Amino acid sequence: MYQLNERQLRNLQLLRKTGAQESEILQRLFEDVSKCITGIYENIERTFLEGFSSGVAEIDDSENVGIGARLNYNYLDENKFTPVINWSDRTNAKPLSDIARIKKAAKAKGVILRYIYMNEATFEDFIANAEVKDFYAWRIGFTGNTSLIQQPTLEQINQVLRSDTRYGVEIEIVDRQFIREKDGVQTTFDAWAANSVILTTEKEVGILFWTDLAEMDNHIAGVNYSEVDEFILVSKFGENRPALSEFTAAQACVVPVICNVEQIYQLDAAGASSDSTASDSNVTLWGTEYTKASVLAGLTTIGAPAPDGATEAQIAQHVNKLSKAKQNQLKTLLTEYTAPAQNGEG
């Protein structure tokens, strides 16, 4: 909602009396209408990007006139993955191997992934990665020192990724900032979840779902209404106490709904566990130390045994290759293994 106060309304009157162009007066008079409608669409896009990147979107009551909402798109844990090594480790991480692993898991369920979405910071880690640079150099026939090769652009890396049957994907960078305004104070923020990499089969992943507003069928006397795109209700009304004011408001009951979530795969590029300590018979997973024996037993129980003779670090990397669903199974088992003894029994 925006307000024209008495001084601003008097300035419009002066413009009319001084012979200003009618188009200029109309532009100023209806500027708030455009801002209100744009605000609705900005909120929709912000909600979509937050939900698409994380699987959950929240609209708290501080920004939504006393009504809080939480949208859970129920992304499947079996479609969630972590890298073997976090992508921020540009020398040792294997982002192409991570992508190939996820594509293979999807293909086993008849899902062909073609598009990869990430923010600019994650793409910078990806494009500066040693494995990616080696792959690009090989694809373009460069045989020299890959550390000397110029970093490829988004268009260049997409060209080689699309043409390689092991990947057949295209990266899209989500570079979108939003401005939230409340009581005249503006704040800028990113809606895309940090380190989130989303893989999909199609570019169109959802629809808008809305319902009618109560005020659409219950107009208030003295308020001028208009509807925009079926679901946005714009209203104009005035007050003369304590001073003359004209208000412009827009409202909508609408959410973006993400469809076919079983065909959406998610990678947390910073979600890998690591164990770089010397052999101590413990494995660090998710920030917690577990005995090596219990981890090996748990992996065997969930049907994902570690390679024979694997070191603690290799076991951690093996766990990183599992889906979030498998990791959760392992975490539950490890919690049971390490639960304290009760009633004096171990």
Side-chain angles (χ1 to χ4, degrees):
M1 181 170 64
Y2 289 89
Q3 173 188 8
L4 285 175
N5 60 34
E6 187 167 354
R7 180 180 59 79
Q8 293 168 317
L9 290 169
R10 289 185 62 192
N11 287 340
L12 287 173
Q13 290 176 336
L14 289 173
L15 281 174
R16 285 198 297 266
K17 291 179 179 180
T18 55
Q21 292 290 327
E22 183 178 350
S23 58
E24 181 184 356
I25 298 173
L26 289 174
Q27 180 182 357
R28 294 196 183 188
L29 186 61
F30 289 99
E31 184 178 24
D32 288 350
V33 174
S34 176
K35 288 181 179 178
C36 284
I37 294 172
T38 299
I40 296 288
Y41 281 111
E42 287 282 290
N43 210 14
I44 290 172
E45 185 176 359
R46 188 271 300 175
T47 304
F48 164 71
L49 289 177
E50 181 182 329
F52 183 46
S53 61
S54 68
V56 176
E58 294 188 358
I59 307 169
D60 62 45
D61 55 8
S62 66
E63 62 180 271
N64 201 44
V65 200
I67 300 175
R70 186 176 189 271
L71 309 174
N72 188 339
Y73 296 111
N74 292 314
Y75 282 7
L76 304 180
D77 281 348
E78 62 194 69
N79 291 358
K80 297 177 182 178
F81 292 85
T82 56
V84 174
I85 299 173
N86 289 333
W87 286 14
S88 57
D89 185 345
R90 297 179 176 183
T91 301
N92 299 305
K94 305 291 183 184
L96 289 176
S97 299
D98 292 330
I99 290 171
R101 172 167 47 93
I102 296 172
K103 279 185 61 70
K104 183 178 179 180
K107 189 175 181 180
K109 296 194 292 185
V111 177
I112 306 301
L113 300 172
R114 302 187 184 279
Y115 301 98
I116 303 178
Y117 296 86
M118 64 185 74
N119 65 12
E120 192 169 8
T122 303
F123 180 73
E124 286 299 320
D125 285 337
F126 176 86
I127 207 66
N129 175 267
E131 183 189 44
V132 174
K133 291 172 70 175
D134 288 345
F135 165 73
Y136 177 70
W138 172 72
R139 289 295 301 184
I140 65 173
F142 181 82
T143 58
N145 186 345
T146 55
S147 64
L148 302 177
I149 194 171
Q150 185 175 1
Q151 189 168 290
T153 64
L154 174 64
E155 182 180 356
Q156 289 171 330
I157 195 65
N158 274 338
Q159 184 176 359
V160 295
L161 284 173
R162 283 192 301 262
S163 62
D164 194 301
T165 55
R166 293 172 297 176
Y167 308 110
V169 294
E170 178 180 313
I171 295 174
E172 295 212 9
I173 299 176
V174 181
D175 182 19
R176 185 72 165 86
Q177 284 75 43
F178 294 86
I179 297 176
R180 178 180 292 148
E181 180 175 332
K182 185 175 182 180
D183 298 331
V185 179
Q186 294 185 343
T187 55
T188 303
F189 65 99
D190 291 317
W192 191 265
N195 303 304
S196 180
V197 179
I198 299 294
L199 298 89
T200 69
T201 60
E202 304 290 342
K203 287 189 174 182
E204 293 186 8
V205 296
I207 59 173
L208 285 182
F209 189 85
W210 68 83
T211 186
D212 290 339
L213 297 157
E215 206 168 342
M216 285 181 171
D217 295 323
N218 297 278
H219 288 183
I220 306 301
V223 179
N224 294 319
Y225 294 97
S226 59
E227 293 184 17
V228 178
D229 291 340
E230 298 186 50
F231 62 89
I232 299 177
L233 183 64
V234 179
S235 56
K236 270 187 170 291
F237 55 94
E239 290 182 356
N240 61 355
R241 294 180 183 179
L244 182 63
S245 296
E246 182 179 275
F247 296 89
T248 302
Q251 56 179 310
C253 190
V254 56
V255 292
V257 176
I258 297 175
C259 305
N260 299 322
V261 294
E262 68 278 0
Q263 296 182 4
I264 295 178
Y265 285 70
Q266 183 181 28
L267 172 74
D268 179 359
S273 297
S274 63
D275 190 329
S276 58
T277 59
S279 180
D280 58 2
S281 298
N282 291 325
V283 180
T284 302
L285 299 172
W286 316 295
T288 302
E289 276 197 351
Y290 301 97
T291 64
K292 182 177 181 180
S294 65
V295 175
L296 291 174
L299 287 169
T300 300
T301 300
I302 66 172
D308 291 340
T311 65
E312 287 82 353
Q314 290 169 336
I315 293 172
Q317 292 182 4
H318 176 73
V319 172
N320 289 336
K321 293 180 181 180
L322 304 178
S323 68
K324 184 64 68 175
K326 285 288 188 181
Q327 289 183 7
N328 287 340
Q329 290 179 27
L330 177 62
K331 191 180 297 185
T332 299
L333 284 175
L334 292 176
T335 301
E336 295 173 355
Y337 291 156
T338 57
Q342 297 183 9
N343 300 325
E345 297 180 1

